[in-house]
Amino acid sequence: YFRELPLCEDRQYLLDLLDLNFPLETLCARVRSDAFWKRAFHHRWRTFVPIEVGSKPWIRIYLEQHLAELVEHLKPNEYDQESVKRIVDLCSPFVRELRLERLQPSLSDNSDHVPLYAVLANLRRLQRISVTYDVKDVGHNFFLGCATITEMDVKLMTQGLERCGELTEFRLHSSKLEPTMMKRISAALGKGCPQLRTIAFPHCRCGDIGL
């Protein structure tokens, strides 16, 4: 019915009335209107201002923020790889950039964070990624080491990076990286990211060995 409407004004009128609470799967499959996705974004994130909007389609801006927020707030003890993969598969056709400014740590002794393998391995069009293994609101769950990247964190992240064939930019922030971690990151980027142009480790402690 929507496609049969001859006038753009009529189509836009219906989109302005479209309920924002429809399942995301339905909206992604059926709605491409920039105006609708911009409205959906500002309705959901009323105080958040996206950066580098430029000519990006708003469905991309919405889904990149949706995925980043989901991963940032996911607790390791609630992590289910199949559920995460379903969400990533939904977002994957539209996501080109992923900015993760925090990751929740495990409350167990190992301090491992939410694994990134299922996320990165299934974002086939990902071009830019920025990751911070840090926490911003630990509250009563604070413990020494909760913001420290672990060997398992690096292992799972790099396994995902090996599947990011279109990646052009990789940034890892504010981490203390052991020599074994640096070697693993270097090997993964060299193996799986032939388009890579930018590598950055802002505020990281890499030691003398570097890459």
Side-chain angles (χ1 to χ4, degrees), residues 1-83:
Y1 173 75
F2 181 80
R3 294 179 179 177
E4 294 175 359
L5 293 174
L7 297 178
C8 292
E9 292 86 349
D10 293 335
R11 295 184 180 185
Q12 189 58 54
Y13 177 73
L14 286 182
L15 288 170
D16 289 341
L17 296 176
L18 187 61
D19 191 346
L20 297 173
N21 294 317
F22 272 114
L24 190 58
E25 296 85 348
T26 302
L27 294 175
C28 288
R30 297 181 178 274
V31 181
R32 290 293 183 274
S33 166
D34 233 29
F36 171 82
W37 285 104
K38 184 176 182 179
R39 176 166 71 93
F41 184 96
H42 290 301
H43 176 80
R44 179 171 172 183
W45 295 286
R46 298 179 186 274
T47 61
F48 181 82
V49 179
I51 63 175
E52 299 179 0
V53 173
S55 60
K56 294 179 185 177
W58 276 94
I59 187 173
R60 171 186 163 184
I61 297 171
Y62 184 99
L63 291 176
E64 286 179 348
Q65 180 62 20
H66 171 74
L67 182 59
E69 185 176 89
L70 180 143
V71 175
E72 287 179 343
H73 291 89
L74 189 62
K75 294 179 173 57
N77 63 320
E78 299 173 356
Y79 177 82
D80 178 72
Q81 182 166 310
E82 288 304 314
S83 298

Side-chain angles (χ1 to χ4, degrees), residues 30-197:
R30 297 181 178 274
V31 181
R32 290 293 183 274
S33 166
D34 233 29
F36 171 82
W37 285 104
K38 184 176 182 179
R39 176 166 71 93
F41 184 96
H42 290 301
H43 176 80
R44 179 171 172 183
W45 295 286
R46 298 179 186 274
T47 61
F48 181 82
V49 179
I51 63 175
E52 299 179 0
V53 173
S55 60
K56 294 179 185 177
W58 276 94
I59 187 173
R60 171 186 163 184
I61 297 171
Y62 184 99
L63 291 176
E64 286 179 348
Q65 180 62 20
H66 171 74
L67 182 59
E69 185 176 89
L70 180 143
V71 175
E72 287 179 343
H73 291 89
L74 189 62
K75 294 179 173 57
N77 63 320
E78 299 173 356
Y79 177 82
D80 178 72
Q81 182 166 310
E82 288 304 314
S83 298
V84 171
K85 185 178 182 301
R86 282 195 297 270
I87 297 171
V88 173
D89 286 343
L90 174 66
C91 300
S92 180
F94 308 98
V95 171
R96 303 292 183 274
E97 181 174 1
L98 188 62
R99 295 174 180 266
L100 301 175
E101 297 182 354
R102 71 186 81 181
L103 287 171
Q104 300 296 323
S106 170
L107 298 181
S108 62
D109 294 337
N110 57 30
S111 302
D112 295 336
H113 295 74
V114 168
L116 292 183
Y117 170 74
V119 177
L120 298 178
N122 293 285
L123 288 176
R124 302 303 172 84
R125 298 184 178 181
L126 188 66
Q127 297 174 351
R128 302 169 66 187
I129 182 168
S130 174
V131 185
T132 304
Y133 282 86
D134 201 352
V135 288
K136 294 186 177 181
D137 50 3
V138 290
H140 295 295
N141 292 327
F142 174 80
F143 60 93
L144 292 176
C146 65
T148 301
I149 192 170
T150 68
E151 291 282 356
M152 183 58 68
D153 290 334
V154 174
K155 178 181 178 181
L156 294 173
M157 177 182 66
T158 53
Q159 286 177 349
L161 287 173
E162 290 178 359
R163 305 277 294 275
C164 295
E166 295 188 15
L167 196 71
T168 61
E169 181 177 311
F170 171 80
R171 296 180 181 273
L172 179 62
H173 297 258
S174 307
S175 297
K176 180 181 179 182
L177 298 169
E178 301 296 337
T180 54
M181 297 178 181
M182 297 296 290
K183 291 178 181 179
R184 191 183 288 274
I185 292 171
S186 177
L189 294 175
K191 177 181 179 181
C193 308
Q195 308 298 324
L196 193 66
R197 297 292 180 270

